[in-house]
Amino acid sequence: MTNHRGWITIAVFLFAALAVATFAGAQDKAGDSETVAVVNGKAISRTLYEQELTRIESRMMQMGQPVDPAQLEQLKSDVLDALISRELLYQESMKQGIKTDEAAVAEQMEAIKSRFPDEAQFQAAMQQMNLTEEGIKDEMTRDSAIRQLVDKEVAGKVTVSDEETKAFYDAHQEMFKQPERVRASHILVTVAEDASQADRDAAMKKIKDIQKRVNAGEDFAELAKAHSQCPSAQKGGDLGFFRRGQMVKPFEEAAFALKPGEVSDIVETQFGYHIIKVTERAEASTASYDEVKERLANHLKQEEIKKQAGEYVEALKAKAKIERTPPEKP
């Protein structure tokens, strides 16, 4: 199984406000007496656990990593562990007397409401999801306290030196290599794979007529806007930069054979007939240290924060009383 544990933990105890709204009312819901864990006397409900498990499964599906039966048991354990971690962090934030920024919570609440046309539809959505505005605010308050704790105890103490950043750059040169790329625009006349010969002939006539106008000096971008049947038409046919392997083979071969400003002959692909114009070319290169220094330093810092946050949570667990009774998901 791909190791999702790190991001699952971060996702659960440092989730965004929108995610809060998906399950805010579930925790400590009246009548929900079944628990999956008790952390220093504080119960984590089965309802919350199942909603979070479903949310993570959906997220993994969207990432193209659906959970198979062999992975499910590990995922259940990871989600429960993350919920326990979040509860421990919240309890520690309360011990340290961390106060929530009420103005920030109110701002987050307004941001959620702004996603709905009006107050009535917001309230209807709350009712449908069995949530309350107060419940959402409570979860935002918890989230704010956890964020402040992690900033204070972990993130605020992490620094990455220039020496560390440069050493990583020097040791991982392959990460900063940029392959040859071209920026191209095209005009597409689509042809269905099962099109009749008559339809193919009509499409070819249309693309040849457009080609004549391109060759006569008419503006390529304007012709693309008017005649191309690709979504890129609204941008004058611009496809941006791409490297080899990102386009279908006939298109790629034609594009990479052109110099900036040159226009191809008619190119046939599985999508139909194209006329391609290359507007820029970038040769293969390696990004310099100065170009990547800031982004690299931030990446290394985030990785170190993730590592130290995990260690901080493990230290809290070592001092806590935790009882686990993970249920089967129905």
Side-chain angles (χ1 to χ4, degrees):
M1 176 182 178
T2 303
N3 183 11
H4 304 287
R5 188 166 195 156
W7 72 260
I8 288 174
T9 301
I10 297 298
V12 174
F13 69 74
L14 293 178
F15 49 83
L18 192 57
V20 175
T22 66
F23 65 90
Q27 191 159 16
D28 298 326
K29 181 181 170 184
D32 186 1
S33 59
E34 193 168 356
T35 65
V36 291
V38 180
V39 182
N40 292 327
K42 176 69 173 179
I44 297 176
S45 72
R46 173 180 174 141
T47 301
L48 175 60
Y49 165 84
E50 289 178 353
Q51 281 197 274
E52 188 59 14
L53 179 59
T54 298
R55 188 174 73 84
I56 295 295
E57 286 182 282
S58 297
R59 176 61 178 153
M60 290 174 68
M61 182 82 72
Q62 292 168 5
M63 293 167 65
Q65 300 175 353
V67 181
D68 63 40
Q71 296 174 320
L72 185 56
E73 289 307 312
Q74 183 62 52
L75 181 63
K76 287 180 178 180
S77 175
D78 290 348
V79 170
L80 179 57
D81 191 63
L83 286 169
I84 289 169
S85 297
R86 181 171 181 264
E87 179 58 36
L88 282 169
L89 287 165
Y90 179 66
Q91 290 180 12
E92 182 63 22
S93 73
M94 293 299 95
K95 285 181 186 177
Q96 294 195 21
I98 290 175
K99 303 296 183 184
T100 301
D101 184 344
E102 296 299 332
V105 170
E107 186 177 336
Q108 283 183 297
M109 193 71 241
E110 287 306 311
I112 290 177
K113 285 187 174 184
S114 70
R115 295 175 181 267
F116 296 85
D118 53 45
E119 179 70 19
Q121 292 194 44
F122 168 72
Q123 293 298 337
M126 294 297 96
Q127 186 174 3
Q128 184 178 4
M129 291 186 289
N130 197 26
L131 303 178
T132 66
E133 189 170 335
E134 195 58 39
I136 294 174
K137 286 181 179 178
D138 287 345
E139 287 300 315
M140 287 180 176
T141 298
R142 291 171 63 90
D143 186 48
S144 174
I146 290 169
R147 287 175 184 274
Q148 290 181 66
L149 175 70
V150 173
D151 284 344
K152 175 187 174 186
E153 297 294 336
V154 180
K157 299 177 181 179
V158 172
T159 59
V160 176
S161 68
D162 288 344
E163 290 76 13
E164 290 172 304
T165 306
K166 185 62 164 61
F168 186 94
Y169 174 83
D170 290 340
H172 298 85
Q173 284 284 292
E174 70 284 353
M175 292 178 61
F176 308 102
K177 292 185 183 300
Q178 186 71 266
E180 178 188 20
R181 297 173 299 148
V182 295
R183 182 176 183 177
S185 300
H186 77 142
I187 298 170
L188 168 66
V189 174
T190 57
V191 180
E193 290 188 35
D194 59 351
S196 67
Q197 189 58 50
D199 287 341
R200 290 181 180 279
D201 290 344
M204 178 58 78
K205 181 181 184 306
K206 182 175 180 179
I207 197 71
K208 283 184 174 180
D209 289 343
I210 297 170
Q211 184 185 41
K212 289 177 183 176
R213 296 173 67 177
V214 171
N215 292 340
E218 289 192 44
D219 185 85
F220 192 96
E222 291 304 316
L223 287 169
K225 288 178 182 178
H227 302 289
S228 181
Q229 294 173 307
C230 174
S232 64
Q234 60 184 329
K235 297 186 292 183
D238 184 19
L239 297 168
F241 275 100
F242 55 88
R243 62 181 183 275
R244 293 183 187 275
Q246 289 186 288
M247 299 293 181
V248 293
K249 201 67 176 176
F251 191 101
E252 172 190 291
E253 290 176 349
F256 277 89
L258 299 171
K259 296 176 182 177
E262 290 183 340
V263 177
S264 73
D265 199 351
I266 294 169
V267 177
E268 182 177 357
T269 74
Q270 66 205 59
F271 303 107
Y273 301 120
H274 311 253
I275 302 171
I276 305 165
K277 180 177 182 179
V278 166
T279 53
E280 293 182 67
R281 195 178 191 101
E283 300 303 324
S285 63
T286 299
S288 70
Y289 175 65
D290 286 341
E291 288 177 305
V292 301
K293 177 181 176 181
E294 187 174 341
R295 285 183 288 117
L296 180 55
N298 184 61
H299 168 74
L300 294 178
K301 182 175 181 178
Q302 293 307 313
E303 289 299 304
E304 184 61 22
I305 289 171
K306 188 188 298 184
K307 174 177 173 289
Q308 291 193 26
E311 293 172 354
Y312 183 73
V313 169
E314 290 304 313
L316 292 178
K317 285 180 182 177
K319 298 183 292 183
K321 182 180 180 182
I322 302 170
E323 301 171 62
R324 303 169 189 247
T325 55
E328 290 299 317
K329 186 184 176 192

